[in-house]
Every structure is written in C-alpha cells, then in structure tokens.
Amino acid sequence: MIQKYFKNWCGERLPLDTIRNHFKNKFVPRHRHTIWYYLGGLTVFFFVIQLLTGVLLMIYYKPTMEGAHQSVVYIINEVPFGWLIRSIHSWAANLMIATLLLHLMRVFYLQAYRPPRELMWMSGFILLFLILGFGFTGYLLPWDDIAFYATQIGTEVPKSIPLVGPTLVALLRGGEDIGEATITRMYTLHVFVLPIATLLFVGIHLFLSQYYGASKPITTRPKGKDIPFYPNFVLRDLRTWCIALILLIGVAILMPWGLGEEADILRPAPEGVKPEWYFIPMYQTLNILPARILIFDGETILNSVLMIGGFVVFLLPFLDRKAKQRERNKFILTAGTLVILYCIVITVSAYI
Ligand code: HEM
C-alpha cells in the first residue's frame, strides 16, 4: 500500500517511465569477451567504497606534521573498527587502480574507443590521471618513513621539465622540501580537488556510456542474444560487486594495511624505498636510464617521451586510420601490447 503510494507519488513527479524505458532498450553484447564488460562497473564500485571510507577516515585524520602519523596510529589502535576502515581504504585504492587498468585494456583491445565513443575514451583518460593522482597524494598522508621518501622521489620527477619543472616541484611541495605545506597540499588535493573533479568526469563518462550503449567488437562473433541491461546485466553487476566486497573485506582483515615508523626528515632514507606498484614502470625506467643521453638530460628525455606518448594515447580515437573500414588496427594493437609488456617486465624486475 505505502509502496504503491510512494511509487505513484514519485512517478507523477519524476520521469521514472522514461528512465525505465531507456534501460529496457539497452543491451550488452553477448560474446566470449563479455566478462570484461564488468570492469568499468567494478571501478565505479571501488570508487564509491573509497568515498565512503575516506569520509570516515577524515573524521580522525590530522593533516599536520605533528598530528598525521599519530592520528593514523589512533585510528588503528583506538577508533572502533578504525584499522578495518583504513585497511579497506588502502586495499580498495589498489584494487581500483587494477580494475581501472584492466578496463582500459579491454577498451583498447576491443577497440571500443572508436567513433562515436571518442569522448568516452578522452574522459576515461582524464579519469586515469585523476585516479593516479589519488594514489600519489594519499601515499604521503600517513607520514611514515617510506611515504616520506617515496614522495620526495615522486615530487622530484617533474623537475626536469623545461621551463616549468622547478616551479611545478615547488608548487607540489609548497617549498623547497617536503614538510607541513606538502601534507596540507596533498590533503587538499586528496579530499577536495580530486574527488570533485573525479565525480564530474565519472558523471560525464557514465552518462556517455548510457547514451551510446556498449560497443560491439568487430571481430568477435556474437554468442546468442544480447543481454538486456535492465534487470539482467544490472543484477550480474550487483553479483560481481557482492563478490568484490567479500574479497575486499577478506583481504583487509587477513592482511591489514601496515604503517611504518613516523617520518623523520633528518634520518637517511631507509633501504628499498619504492613508490606504489603503479608508478614503478616510470620510476624503474628513470633508474636504468643514463643520466645523460648525447647532449640531453636522461630525465628530461623521459618526461618528454611520457608527455608526447600521453598526448598520442589521449588522441588515439582520431589517429586510428582503420576505424572507418571497421578493420582491426594491427599497428596500434601491437604498439599497445609492447608498451604493456614493457610495463609488466620492468615492474617484475623492480621487485625481483
Ligand atoms: C574512474 C575510472 C573509470 C570508470 C569508473 C569507468 C567506468 C565505465 C563504465 C561503468 C563503463 C560501461 C561498462 C563497461 O564498458 O565496462 C565504461 C565504458 C567505457 N570506458 Fe570507462 N571508466 C573509467 C576509466 C576509463 C579509462 C581510463 C578509459 C580509457 C582511456 C575508459 C574508456 C571507456 C570507453 C571507451 C568505454 C565504452 C566501452 C564500450 O562501449 O564498449 N574508461 N567505463
């Protein structure tokens, strides 16, 4: 009775029928790669977990040199379930980046970036940077020794960019060295600037995904009828999220996220300081690159290659000349595979 009244009340005020009809007319292609279509939704799921756990952590976290580490110790030891919320936040951050990279790879290999989905690719590419930004800015916040030295190395990277490099470093650090100003900056970016920008771009990305519907890969044969988005695919998405939630809570409990000793700016860097795994390809390339190549500085070359490469990837939908003929672009696929293989090999070698 109440349910019916509520449904009618909402139906008279909101375009519920239009929304229902839209979802009913949306289908997800059924073929041997359909399983990869869950990755975008999984990334959204982890992002929501990050927002919820992040807000809870903000209640006790103190973004100061004196208070940061102590407040994290307090969260772990004193706040009821504080250790679990922190552990979930840290694990979900890593899992989100993993699902995001896999989602990018599925879009790339099924060449789903092709017209008319150029804006989806471009908004997704911006999201990739925003999400990596979360990882970078969040790393310093516990103010432990590894975080401190890794951020020192990380904020050093833009230094060799011609003209703007030193200013960029000073802007990130809030001065010459890592200190109070750096924590405040990283915190502001982490809890305010990045969430707002990410919410905006996730909104655009999801709106476009509803508008265009899921793309059909050109070379894969369909396996029966397409799957109705609502309720069938939505229920499958929910099932995936439930499994992800159980796994996430499981790892967060069994392997609680650690915390190093409080950072001491006077202590020498401990052995084996490394950034998070998703920054390793860049970090390790810097390590193996000679300091000078001909007349150029090694770091400047790497920064230039990364910037040009990033720009090329951003504009990929416009560079794919085979899109019009609806053929596989072997050159682009091979180049992408080589980059992915390079990142995997160099990451593994860094850990070995
Ligand atoms: C926070 C990050 C991201 C979220 C939450 C997200 C979410 C989604 C979702 C839910 C879909 C529809 C379901 C699916 O196809 O998996 C989708 C599709 C898509 N995404 Fe993302 N995405 C993100 C990042 C990216 C990145 C980094 C790229 C590439 C640079 C990208 C490119 C695309 C494209 C082209 C589609 C359309 C695929 C098709 O129609 O077959 N996305 N995304």
Side-chain angles (χ1 to χ4, degrees), residues 155 166-179 181-182 185:
T155 48
T167 320
L168 254 174
V169 176
L171 213 70
L172 274 174
R173 290 185 174 174
E176 286 269 299
D177 302 307
I178 309 269
T182 327
R185 275 162 202 234

Side-chain angles (χ1 to χ4, degrees), residues 48-319:
V48 173
I49 296 272
Q50 286 310 87
L51 290 181
L52 296 177
T53 49
V55 168
L56 291 177
L57 290 173
M58 269 174 81
I59 298 174
Y60 291 100
Y61 177 76
K62 296 199 178 91
T64 61
M65 249 165 100
E66 299 254 293
H69 192 268
Q70 276 172 26
S71 63
V72 178
V73 172
Y74 184 79
I75 289 172
I76 295 174
N77 295 331
E78 307 292 334
V79 178
F81 296 104
W83 66 272
L84 183 60
I85 298 295
R86 173 170 180 260
S87 192
I88 290 179
H89 192 75
S90 308
W91 275 106
N94 282 277
L95 291 172
M96 180 180 176
I97 293 179
T99 53
L100 172 60
L101 294 176
L102 290 173
H103 170 61
L104 194 160
M105 272 158 45
R106 105 97 171 120
V107 168
F108 175 73
Y109 280 113
L110 296 186
Q111 305 206 303
Y113 55 78
R114 287 178 163 181
R117 292 181 181 74
E118 299 95 322
L119 291 176
M120 289 212 68
W121 174 262
M122 290 158 98
S123 57
F125 189 77
I126 294 170
L127 279 171
L128 174 71
F129 275 88
L130 294 173
I131 301 299
L132 290 177
F134 271 106
F136 185 70
T137 51
Y139 205 48
L140 180 72
L141 299 184
W143 197 245
D144 58 4
D145 43 13
I146 301 273
F148 177 77
Y149 290 106
T151 307
Q152 201 158 42
I153 300 167
T155 48
E156 196 93 10
V157 172
K159 204 175 183 174
S160 59
I161 299 177
L163 302 176
V164 289
T167 320
L168 254 174
V169 176
L171 213 70
L172 274 174
R173 290 185 174 174
E176 286 269 299
D177 302 307
I178 309 269
E180 184 94 14
T182 327
I183 302 192
T184 330
R185 275 162 202 234
M186 295 291 168
Y187 184 68
T188 314
L189 286 171
H190 195 77
V191 306
F192 185 72
V193 181
L194 289 171
I196 288 185
T198 310
L199 278 171
L200 179 73
F201 278 94
V202 167
I204 295 174
H205 199 70
L206 293 187
F207 169 76
L208 291 174
S209 130
Q210 290 306 321
Y211 184 66
Y212 294 123
S215 68
K216 286 194 178 182
I218 37 170
T219 48
T220 312
R221 257 193 251 125
K223 250 187 181 180
K225 271 191 187 168
D226 289 351
I227 309 165
F229 180 73
Y230 181 81
N232 304 45
F233 200 76
V234 172
L235 285 174
R236 287 174 180 223
D237 258 339
L238 281 177
R239 182 186 58 190
T240 323
W241 296 2
C242 287
I243 297 171
L245 185 63
I246 292 168
L247 290 178
L248 174 64
I249 296 180
V251 283
I253 291 175
L254 296 175
M255 287 182 264
W257 204 261
L259 177 69
E261 270 186 48
E262 184 165 4
D264 179 350
I265 47 178
L266 300 174
R267 221 183 5 232
E271 285 272 307
V273 174
K274 273 197 206 77
E276 287 281 55
W277 59 271
Y278 38 86
F279 289 125
I280 292 274
M282 197 169 97
Y283 168 78
Q284 192 67 356
T285 309
L286 257 182
N287 274 350
I288 56 173
L289 212 66
R292 291 204 80 76
I293 302 171
L294 301 175
I295 50 164
F296 302 105
D297 178 55
E299 261 184 56
T300 313
I301 292 192
L302 179 66
N303 276 325
S304 314
V305 170
L306 283 177
M307 278 200 300
I308 296 168
F311 203 57
V312 169
V313 176
F314 183 63
L315 295 177
L316 185 67
F318 305 99
L319 303 174

